[in-house]
Each structure stands twice: as structure tokens, then as C-alpha cells.
Amino acid sequence: MRKNFSRVSTLKIALFAGSALALPHSAMAQAAPQDTATPATDAAAAAPGTGDDQTPAIIVTGFRQSLQAALNVKRNSVSAVDAVVAEDIAKFPDQNIAESLQRIPGISIQKDGGEGRAITVRGLGAQFTRVRVNGLETITTSSDGASANRDRSFDFNVFASELFSSLVVHKTAEASLDEGSLGAVVDLNTGNPLAGKTGLTAVLNVQGSYNDLSKNVGPRVAGLLSWKNDAGTLGVNLSAAYSHTDTLETGNNTVRWSQAYFNSVGGTPCFYSVAGASGGNAVNSGGFYRPSAACDAAALSFHPRIPRYGVVEHDRRRLGLTGSIQFEPSTHTKISIDALYSSFKEDRKEKWLEVLARSNERSFNVVNPAYDSNGNMVSGTFNNAYVRTESYLRQSNTKFYQVGATWDQDVSDSLRFTLLGGISQSDADIPVESTIAYDSKGANGFAFDYSNMKAPVLSYGIDVTNPANFQLAEIRDRPSYVTNKFKTVQLRTEWDVTKGFTVKLGGVWRRYNFQTQLWTRDTVACSGNGKPDLILGTTTCSSSVYGLPVTSSISDLVSLGDAGQPGGTTSQFLAANIGSAAAYTNLYGRTQVEDLGSNRQVQETTSGGYLQFDVKGDLFGLEYAGNAGIRYAHTDQRSTGYTAGVAATVGRTYNDWLPSFNIAFYPHRDVILRGAIAKVITRPSLGNLNPGGSVDGFNYRVTFGNPFLNPYRATNFDVSAEWYFAPQALLSVAGFIKQIQSFPVSGTYTATLPQLGLDRSVLTPSSPAYINYDPTQEYIVSSQVNGAGATLKGIEVALQLPFTFLPSFLSHTGFQGNATLIKSDADYTITGPAVSACTRNASGACTLAGVSAIYNQTLLNVSKRAWNATLYYDDGKFSIRGSVSYRGPFVDGTSATGNVFEGYGAYTSVDAAVRYKIRPWLELSIDGNNLTDAYRYRFTDETAQRNYENNHFGRTILFGARAKL
């Protein structure tokens, strides 16, 4: 009885799918014996039968121990599983759990502010990955760049890594595993007090975090208390982690490139007045475009919309708390209650010096443009330019909590069940998101040179440190609130019908509620000549007065520092001090206006069940283990959105039958061959389900949702071979194909606002479309439709090799590495660049009209190549390891303003860690992240590789001590 029960109780800690129950005896891995139980022991214990094998065990500790425990989890599963296991209590191998996950084959990460945030599994983005915390599906969101996560993606940076004991990634589906993932199901597991030693255990880890770009040092503290009674029937643990980091991000940005008409090019006027050719050139506004070689070349070329350099400060405070109570009154019964709380606060401050070409090119006079072979205006000097300095502040606060309970019960020797239930909530609040802009219109002598796309030269024809050269022209504040709630009840039963044959039957009910709300208190200072300003009402606007006076008392002098800028770049400028300028303009006293076009809600209720058969045995002397089953999921979905202030709620239901099959063969004790086939789904993106829409008056785009989108549906095929050729060693090769039958894609067309039943009221007051409202202006309308599908193929290769065969101290070294190669394709309908400088509209005037076409492209967020490698030395007392992670370039969106796709260039990160035990209970540590200070390059238009942004975050060094009693 005891052995059977232990098998079930560990499901909550490491293998929720339960495949390990079907393994034959000869396939069992070796757990590493230890003096006291640790999370590594706990994960290893998840392999049933551990300890029954008579092969002598090899005792390992520290980082090598965590690698061995992760291998145990992988080896003792029928389905494709990978894991990362803590080296010890409150001692995860990496400082960020996303960065730990990238060590697993097939997983890449996306970073924000220099730290891992979201993951991509086997080429599929974060929205295709389901995440469970202690067995309960959940979502937690934060902010990235200039936007918040308002979708199904899980933000790993919300949590401190010290709170978790193991991460388990299920790459293939089982009937007993929660549906909703085309990529993977990731289990994050906190502590297990009954796996610890008897009595009291205490751990304290204290570190300092230094960033060489910001020159700041912040604290990082983690602690754990765990207690188990002498009888081993009651255990309690509490853990806490706090960190405060203050890092910088510096570099350049263009906010995409676009095509546009200029006022003149090389002295050639580009417009006639409204009166016609005899009326002369219309200066700065109005008139009709006059085709010419010089003007056409400039109009058809792409130029940076907002060329700029800037400084971004990330001030982050992270607090995490966990608690667990486990009660095992008998060998038949175990009850666990787990709670987790996390608070992630960030103040993001940005200062930019820029030229606002976007929508203002009509007034620019281009003096000496130069073009490259990709159709880019790579350099030029501009008169009558629109210079702006922009200050931005976002204060965000993500709070997450979860409470769950599990009842494991052995009803008899052959029948057992697990009842699991809980609630979770993630609130991502942004109470302050403010921008204050200083403008200097009509500046002469601005010049840019993008001959080196990653490091442009930007220089200005005015003194950008002089307050007299600027006017306070615009203020914005856009608070927003995102809430995700989950309620889950799940029952899992297992019946050992006979030796080697187990039946699993279960059911689940889950309700997910999502809501996002956005508000605005935006205004430009001046909306027309002769009118009082719209901020204080104390200034009369005119052609030369377009804002409030700027003074030093409300301003900061900003220095770029190390932003990678070449010589000749202006590196010091004046920008608003948000606090002083907000008080001066009474920004936060202004009435908020609800941005109904961006507000939406989704309620998703899923119910269903599964039937699964687990088998093991031998066929003609060949041992095998497998499972086959089917999962039923009923989805009841209600979506609410707004267009032009009118709410619409749309309800729908759909059903999915999801069969799956996993098989593992054991031709040799140390060799496992696996195969899997499964039908899987991922429910549509939350933003795409919005029955309302939004209007972008800056880029002249309208976006509508589609609440009737089908889920992403796919059939997955997986095969792998694993060779455990030595203790702690593995060589594996895996191949996978994902045939995606239903793949929502963008559909676009052009229309005016009146044709869409909309008017000026749906526009943001500060947008050019609102200020210069034209009912005949055409907008690109984007929506989502059910596409024809896509295919993704890939291969993973992994090697884990301790160099125990080397002499002397070299026997304590080792290697861990893997590589992933992916090929995929999908069709996207995109409005690309204009190919004629003069496409006549209905009134006969020239327009720059983009051409819509179907583009075949790698799936979004897919890197064709990714790899990582770690070299380590670990003798139990001293350890050192260095890691290199590479992710190849990838596109993450379909872009805009005539560009075809946008994404990120290749990125390589180098990290290192050093540990030294000066006492058995005391350890010193030094960790280095991003040691090469790698730049992150983002491009717009995949073919032309135009600069979207290029920035870096500096090196981060953590140093401290860890005590365990």
C-alpha cells in the first residue's frame, strides 16, 4: 500500500500526467541518495520504483545532483517530458525561471529589461503554452516594452525563482493532461514539506545585485522554514523571496519605417497649390502632389518614422510568498494545501530625443537624401523638421495569488483517486502611464545616417538643451487594468485492473474570467489658432505658439551615456520631469475617459473528462510501456467588447474530442524509443475574440475582433530516441511535426470611418487623424479569420555528459547542451508597400496606396535555430559553470505602415555562476548574467531588416551567501 500511495502523491510535485506509473522495472532510473531530503530528492522520488534496483548508486550533490534528478523525471515518463530541478531547498539553478527553462531542448525565451519573461516551445509562442502552478492552470501577466500582456501568455518574470522546487515540461499530450496547448504544458511546483527531513529546516539566501550600466546595487533575499513531525505525518513549510533591481536600457528606436510625401526634395517642390500648377507650390500643407523623379524617389523610399535615441530605467521590486501544509494520517490518505502570493512592481521611466516624422512629413524639406538597395532613405538632412523630446512613466503592479487543495486517497490496493481544486487571480494594474512631450516645430538642419542600421547617427540643428527652443505640446495618461481569474475542480481516478494494465478516468470543471479596462486623459496643448490652450487655458494658440512655455524647473537634462551611439550623435537633451510637469499641467486632476474600444471581457467555462489506458509489458521479449486515451472538452465562451461606445456580447460553444497515444520501447536497459500522436487545441487569442474594435489615428488602422474564431487545432507527431549511456549522462534525438489545421490569420481591407459606421469620436484626441479629421481618409481595416492552417517540423538534439572518465579534478567537470532546428510555413495576408508614387483616388488626387498580398512565412515567434551549452565543474564544495544560449532571428508580428513582418535578430547570452562552501551549512556565490552585454536588435520588414530598435541592458552581477540549518 505504501508504495502505491507514494506513487500517486508525487504526481502533484513532478508528473501530473501520471505516465510514470506504467514503466517496466528494468527502465527505472537511479535516484541520488542524500543525507537529507531536498527538492532534488523529491523530484527523483517522482520516479516510481526508485530504490528497488540493485545497481550501485552514484552519489552526487549540487548542480550535478539537479541534473541527475531532472534526468530521472525524464527517463521515468512514457510521454516526452523534460525538467529542471532545484539543487537544494530555495536554490534554483538560475536566477530567473524562464532562463532555466531555456536550457531545455526546444525552448527559447523572450526577454524584457534584460531578464527572461516568456517562452516559446518548439517554435510556438507563449500563447500556445499552458502553465500550471501546483497542478492548477493559471495565467499571470505583466508589462513588456510599451504595452501590457493582455492575452493567454504567461509571464514568468512575475515570480522569484527561489519559490519553486522543480519545473516540468510536458511536450506531448496525454488524455489525462489538461488540454489547451499546441506547444507544451509547463508545471511549476513549490515545496513538499513531507519530503524534507524530520524537525526544523531553515534556509537563508542573501545577495546583492549590481548592474554595470545603471551602476546600482539592489538586494535579493530568500528564505525558507520547513518542519516535519517525527511520525512523518504532518509537514509545513513557508518561503519568501524579495528582490529590488534598478537597471538601465539604452539604445535607439525608430517606431517602424514608412513611406510618405515630403514638401520638397533637393530643392524640387513636391506639391502644387489647390489652385493648380499656376498657383505655385503649397508650403507645408494642402495642395496636390506633383510627381517628379526626386519627389517620387523620396516618397517610395522608407524613412524612419520617429528616429531617436533614449534611456529607459527599470526599477523593479519583486516579493513572493509560499505556504504548504501536508497531512498524511495514514498510508492511505494524504491532504495538501498550497498557497502562493507574488507581487511584481515596476517603475519604467523613458527619456527620448526624436524627430516626429510620423504624419508630419508633408512639412519636411529634404536636402540631400541617399538611398540603399532595399528601398530605404538611409541618410538625409531635413529642414522644417518636427523635433520632440518625450518623457514617459509607467507604474505597474502585478499581484498574483493562488490557493489550492489536494486530497490523495488509496481506496484499496488497486483503486485510488486525487481530488484537486483551487482558485487563482492575477491583477496587472497600471495606474500611471504618462507621457509629456516638448516640441520644437520648424527646426532646420536635422540629419540622420542609417548606413549602419544598428548604430545610426542622429544630429539636430537646434540646441536641444535650451528650454527656450521647446514648447510643452502634449500630455497623456493611460491607466489600464487587467484581471485573470481561474476556478478549478478536478477529479482523477486510477484503477489497476491487472498487472501492467491501469485505467484512468477523470473529469474537470474550470472557469476563466478575463477583463481589461483602459482609460485616457490625453490632450494636445493647441487644437487651432486663436483658441486658448487645452491644458491650462492661459495661452492663446497661433502658428508659432503650439504649446505652453518650457522652464528648467519642470525639466531634466538627460545624458545618453553608453547607448552605442557613434560620434556626431547628439547625446544630451532636455526632457520633462514627469512629476514636476504633471503637477504644472494638473495632468492627474483631469477627468479620465474610458477607452471603450480597447476594453473587453471574456468568460470561458470548460468542462469535460478523459479516459486513459496505461499498459506495460513485453512483446516478443521487447519491453514497452504506453498509454492511449481520449479527452473531451466542452467550451462555453462569452465575449464582450465595444465599438463607438456600444457594448456587444457574443456567446458561443464548441466541443473537442482529443485522442492521444504515447508509446515507449526499451530495447536495452539504457535505451528508450518513444513515439506519440495526439490531437490538441489552443483556444483563440483573447484580443481576437473581441466583438468590438479600436481605431488607431496615428497609423490610420482599424482593428476589429472575431468572437467566432475557431480554436487552433492541430495533430502532433513525435518520435525520440534516448541513450542513458552512463550515470548522469544522456544523448537524445527527437523529431516532431505539428500539422495545424485551424490557424487564424489576419485579413485586411481599406475603408473610411463613415463606411464602417464610425466617426471622429472613436479617435484619440492627440492623434493626427483627430486633429486633421477627414471623413474621406481611408484606413486599413484588420480582422482575424479562420485560415487554411500551417505546418511545423523540427528536430532536437541533446547531450548531457559528465567527464567522469577524465583524471583527477577534471572528473568533476561536465557538459550539458542541446540544439533545436525548426522549419515551418504559413500564409499571411499583408498590406505591403506602395509601388507607385501616384495612385489616383476617387477624386483624382495622388495617394501612396499599399498593395495587399499573400506572403508565405515562418510561423510567428519561430526561430529556425536555437541552442545552448553549459560547461561545469562541481566537486561538492566548489562549483563553477558557464552557459551560452543562442536564439536565431524570428518574426513576431505582421508589422504595419507598409512593412512586411517584424521581429528580432539573433541573440546570444553568456552567463556564469560560482559557488563555494566554506562550511557544510554556509555557501558563497557569484552569478553573472549577460556577461557580454549583448544588444537586442529588433527589425521591421524581414527582407529589408530596417531598424526598429537596438538596445542593451548591461551586465548583472549577483554576489552573496546562503545558509542552511
Side-chain angles (χ1 to χ4, degrees):
M1 286 290 291
R2 183 69 179 187
K3 180 178 177 181
N4 286 340
F5 174 73
S6 297
R7 175 178 56 193
V8 177
S9 64
T10 54
L11 291 175
K12 186 173 69 68
I13 302 301
L15 292 174
F16 292 98
S19 299
L21 304 186
L23 282 180
H25 175 75
S26 64
M28 300 305 175
Q30 303 304 304
Q34 302 171 74
D35 294 335
T36 60
T38 69
T41 312
D42 183 35
T50 294
D52 293 345
D53 202 297
Q54 299 305 308
T55 302
I58 297 175
I59 299 176
V60 293
T61 59
F63 182 67
R64 295 172 67 188
Q65 170 185 274
S66 71
L67 295 180
Q68 177 64 64
L71 280 192
N72 291 342
V73 174
K74 179 179 181 68
R75 188 170 185 175
N76 289 284
S77 173
V78 172
S79 59
V81 167
D82 282 290
V84 181
V85 178
E87 298 178 42
D88 201 345
I89 295 174
K91 187 183 177 185
F92 218 72
D94 293 275
Q95 301 301 321
N96 181 289
I97 54 178
E99 290 164 9
S100 290
L101 285 168
Q102 75 177 336
R103 316 286 182 214
I104 289 176
I107 295 184
S108 299
I109 66 172
Q110 287 178 273
K111 292 192 173 186
D112 173 38
E115 64 177 29
R117 177 172 179 252
I119 67 171
T120 295
V121 182
R122 289 183 165 178
L124 293 174
Q127 75 178 87
F128 296 101
T129 299
R130 296 278 67 76
V131 177
R132 304 188 299 187
V133 176
N134 292 329
L136 297 173
E137 181 181 348
T138 191
I139 293 176
T140 185
T141 61
S142 62
S143 298
D144 178 23
S147 63
N149 176 359
R150 300 187 179 101
D151 212 332
R152 298 182 190 271
S153 303
F154 187 95
D155 290 339
F156 290 89
N157 60 347
V158 170
F159 297 114
S161 61
E162 293 90 344
L163 302 179
F164 298 95
S165 60
S166 68
L167 316 176
V168 180
V169 180
H170 306 268
K171 294 180 178 176
T172 61
E174 298 183 358
S176 57
L177 190 65
D178 289 345
E179 85 287 345
S181 165
L182 265 64
V185 174
V186 177
D187 281 318
L188 310 181
N189 308 305
T190 58
N192 181 12
L194 285 182
K197 68 179 183 180
T198 300
L200 183 66
T201 299
V203 177
L204 179 64
N205 190 24
V206 179
Q207 292 180 303
S209 176
Y210 171 76
N211 180 266
D212 72 342
L213 197 59
S214 67
K215 310 298 183 184
N216 289 320
V217 177
R220 186 181 182 106
V221 182
L224 179 139
L225 288 174
S226 182
W227 174 84
K228 185 172 75 172
N229 66 358
D230 293 338
T233 58
L234 180 64
V236 180
N237 72 15
L238 300 170
S239 67
Y242 174 79
S243 66
H244 184 183
T245 60
D246 192 350
T247 61
L248 283 183
E249 172 185 347
T250 63
N252 62 79
N253 192 301
T254 65
V255 199
R256 299 192 185 94
W257 294 52
S258 64
Q259 298 168 300
Y261 294 130
F262 293 91
N263 188 60
S264 68
V265 179
T268 301
C270 297
F271 282 82
Y272 288 120
S273 70
V274 177
S278 61
N281 186 49
V283 179
N284 298 338
S285 63
F288 293 101
Y289 179 71
R290 177 174 61 182
S292 67
C295 294
D296 288 359
L300 288 175
S301 69
F302 278 83
H303 63 275
R305 295 172 69 243
I306 310 179
R308 61 185 185 175
Y309 274 92
V311 178
V312 182
E313 180 182 346
H314 303 270
D315 188 345
R316 292 172 166 170
R317 289 135 290 164
R318 187 183 284 109
L319 172 66
L321 305 170
T322 71
S324 180
I325 301 175
Q326 292 184 324
F327 179 50
E328 189 175 335
S330 71
T331 57
H332 310 282
T333 304
K334 183 177 180 180
I335 297 172
S336 303
I337 299 175
D338 300 291
L340 173 66
Y341 170 83
S342 181
S343 171
F344 176 52
K345 298 180 179 180
E346 179 183 18
D347 290 351
R348 180 188 178 101
K349 301 175 182 177
E350 303 182 16
K351 306 280 189 179
W352 298 97
L353 172 62
E354 61 199 27
V355 163
L356 202 64
R358 177 211 67 202
S359 303
N360 296 302
E361 294 92 345
R362 176 63 182 83
S363 67
F364 287 20
N365 295 309
V366 188
V367 177
N368 54 350
Y371 308 98
D372 68 8
S373 59
N374 288 318
N376 302 316
M377 183 188 293
V378 291
S379 66
T381 300
F382 302 81
N383 292 327
N384 205 34
Y386 194 140
V387 177
R388 166 172 285 189
T389 70
E390 189 173 319
S391 293
Y392 173 86
L393 169 65
R394 182 180 64 216
Q395 295 178 334
S396 60
N397 182 11
T398 295
K399 291 184 178 180
F400 173 88
Y401 73 84
Q402 176 180 289
V403 178
T406 305
W407 174 19
D408 293 312
Q409 182 67 48
D410 281 358
V411 179
S412 67
D413 286 345
S414 60
L415 180 63
R416 53 200 168 271
F417 69 80
T418 296
L419 181 63
L420 173 67
I423 59 173
S424 69
Q425 180 167 329
S426 173
D427 296 314
D429 297 340
I430 304 177
V432 174
E433 187 171 6
S434 304
T435 302
I436 295 179
Y438 290 173
D439 287 354
S440 180
K441 297 182 180 180
N444 294 326
F446 167 71
F448 68 67
D449 185 348
Y450 278 85
S451 299
N452 179 350
M453 273 289 175
K454 295 183 178 180
V457 178
L458 304 182
S459 60
Y460 298 76
I462 62 171
D463 181 0
V464 292
T465 65
N466 186 353
N469 287 330
F470 290 101
Q471 299 179 40
L472 196 162
E474 186 176 343
I475 59 175
R476 298 195 294 264
D477 187 45
R478 299 174 180 176
S480 63
Y481 306 89
V482 178
T483 298
N484 295 279
K485 296 180 181 179
F486 275 91
K487 299 177 182 177
T488 302
V489 178
Q490 187 175 70
L491 176 65
R492 299 192 294 260
T493 66
E494 299 179 10
W495 176 31
D496 296 328
V497 179
T498 187
K499 183 179 180 181
F501 181 56
T502 298
V503 177
K504 297 178 180 179
L505 182 67
V508 64
W509 178 91
R510 181 184 302 109
R511 173 161 290 172
Y512 169 51
N513 288 93
F514 163 84
Q515 181 178 13
T516 181
Q517 292 180 291
L518 288 85
W519 305 79
T520 66
R521 42 165 68 101
D522 299 5
T523 187
V524 293
C526 291
S527 62
N529 295 338
K531 298 180 180 179
D533 73 88
L534 301 177
I535 297 177
L536 298 179
T538 58
T539 300
T540 300
C541 299
S542 67
S543 59
S544 60
V545 178
Y546 43 84
L548 302 177
V550 170
T551 63
S552 299
S553 62
I554 60 170
S555 306
D556 293 325
L557 189 61
V558 181
S559 294
L560 278 182
D562 178 13
Q565 70 274 32
T569 298
T570 302
S571 297
Q572 195 172 58
F573 58 94
L574 194 75
N577 178 289
I578 289 285
S580 300
Y584 169 61
T585 59
N586 191 33
L587 173 58
Y588 302 125
R590 299 179 64 85
T591 302
Q592 293 185 137
V593 177
E594 190 172 6
D595 181 4
L596 292 176
S598 299
N599 292 354
R600 59 188 187 273
Q601 302 175 38
V602 176
Q603 178 173 286
E604 205 169 68
T605 304
T606 58
S607 56
Y610 65 88
L611 175 64
Q612 179 174 309
F613 303 101
D614 285 16
V615 295
K616 66 177 179 179
D618 64 85
L619 183 65
F620 304 112
L622 178 62
E623 289 185 287
Y624 70 89
N627 62 62
I630 191 165
R631 187 175 187 92
Y632 167 73
H634 171 77
T635 305
D636 185 335
Q637 204 170 71
R638 294 178 61 84
S639 306
T640 301
Y642 298 83
T643 300
V646 179
T649 299
V650 176
R652 67 175 303 203
T653 61
Y654 54 89
N655 302 301
D656 286 277
W657 293 91
L658 306 170
S660 61
F661 172 75
N662 290 270
I663 188 71
F665 293 103
Y666 307 92
H668 184 272
R669 171 182 178 80
D670 298 320
V671 176
I672 303 177
L673 305 178
R674 304 184 194 273
I677 303 174
K679 286 189 176 294
V680 294
I681 66 167
T682 288
R683 295 178 175 88
S685 297
L686 298 172
N688 293 341
L689 293 174
N690 184 5
S694 62
V695 181
D696 180 352
F698 292 93
N699 296 312
Y700 300 97
R701 299 179 67 91
V702 176
T703 303
F704 282 122
N706 183 353
F708 295 101
L709 281 175
N710 291 328
Y712 298 84
R713 292 188 172 103
T715 302
N716 290 351
F717 302 87
D718 296 84
V719 295
S720 66
E722 301 163 10
W723 179 27
Y724 297 85
F725 55 90
Q728 308 164 52
L730 167 67
L731 174 63
S732 68
V733 179
F736 53 90
I737 299 175
K738 298 180 185 292
Q739 293 182 345
I740 305 173
Q741 290 84 34
S742 174
F743 194 91
V745 296
S746 298
T748 61
Y749 57 93
T750 59
T752 66
L753 291 185
Q755 287 172 337
L756 297 171
L758 307 175
D759 57 25
R760 187 184 189 185
S761 64
V762 301
L763 294 165
T764 302
S766 60
S767 67
Y770 182 92
I771 297 170
N772 303 304
Y773 179 67
D774 179 0
T776 66
Q777 170 69 50
E778 290 187 332
Y779 290 72
I780 296 174
V781 183
S782 301
S783 188
Q784 291 286 313
V785 296
N786 295 311
T791 301
L792 185 149
K793 303 175 183 178
I795 186 170
E796 298 169 353
V797 180
L799 174 64
Q800 185 168 309
L801 177 62
F803 299 148
T804 52
F805 52 86
L806 294 177
S808 187
F809 71 93
L810 293 177
S811 64
H812 298 292
T813 61
F815 171 83
Q816 179 192 33
N818 59 74
T820 304
L821 304 175
I822 296 176
K823 179 181 179 181
S824 69
D825 65 89
D827 291 334
Y828 299 87
T829 301
I830 299 173
T831 299
V835 295
S836 171
C838 186
T839 299
R840 301 288 180 180
N841 63 16
S843 63
C846 292
T847 63
L848 280 170
V851 178
S852 182
I854 296 175
Y855 294 84
N856 185 265
Q857 169 62 37
T858 300
L859 285 168
L860 302 183
N861 294 297
V862 172
S863 291
K864 294 181 180 180
R865 295 176 298 278
W867 58 266
N868 65 76
T870 299
L871 280 172
Y872 64 86
Y873 172 89
D874 190 345
D875 63 10
K877 185 173 184 179
F878 174 76
S879 70
I880 182 170
R881 64 180 182 268
S883 300
V884 181
S885 297
Y886 168 85
R887 181 177 185 181
F890 64 96
V891 299
D892 69 339
T894 55
S895 201
T897 61
N899 296 278
V900 180
F901 298 109
E902 62 187 42
Y904 290 87
Y907 185 84
T908 302
S909 178
V910 179
D911 308 316
V914 180
R915 305 280 188 272
Y916 179 67
K917 285 186 177 180
I918 59 176
R919 294 287 187 273
W921 54 271
L922 181 61
E923 181 180 79
L924 303 181
S925 65
I926 300 177
D927 296 87
N929 297 330
N930 189 30
L931 292 177
T932 60
D933 190 15
Y935 275 69
R936 180 185 66 176
Y937 181 67
R938 187 177 183 186
F939 59 82
T940 185
D941 198 280
E942 187 192 24
T943 301
Q945 291 281 305
R946 302 179 182 108
N947 175 317
Y948 193 120
E949 67 178 6
N950 192 38
N951 46 31
H952 70 138
F953 313 93
R955 303 168 184 85
T956 299
I957 308 298
L958 296 99
F959 52 91
R962 179 179 184 275
K964 178 183 177 183
L965 302 175

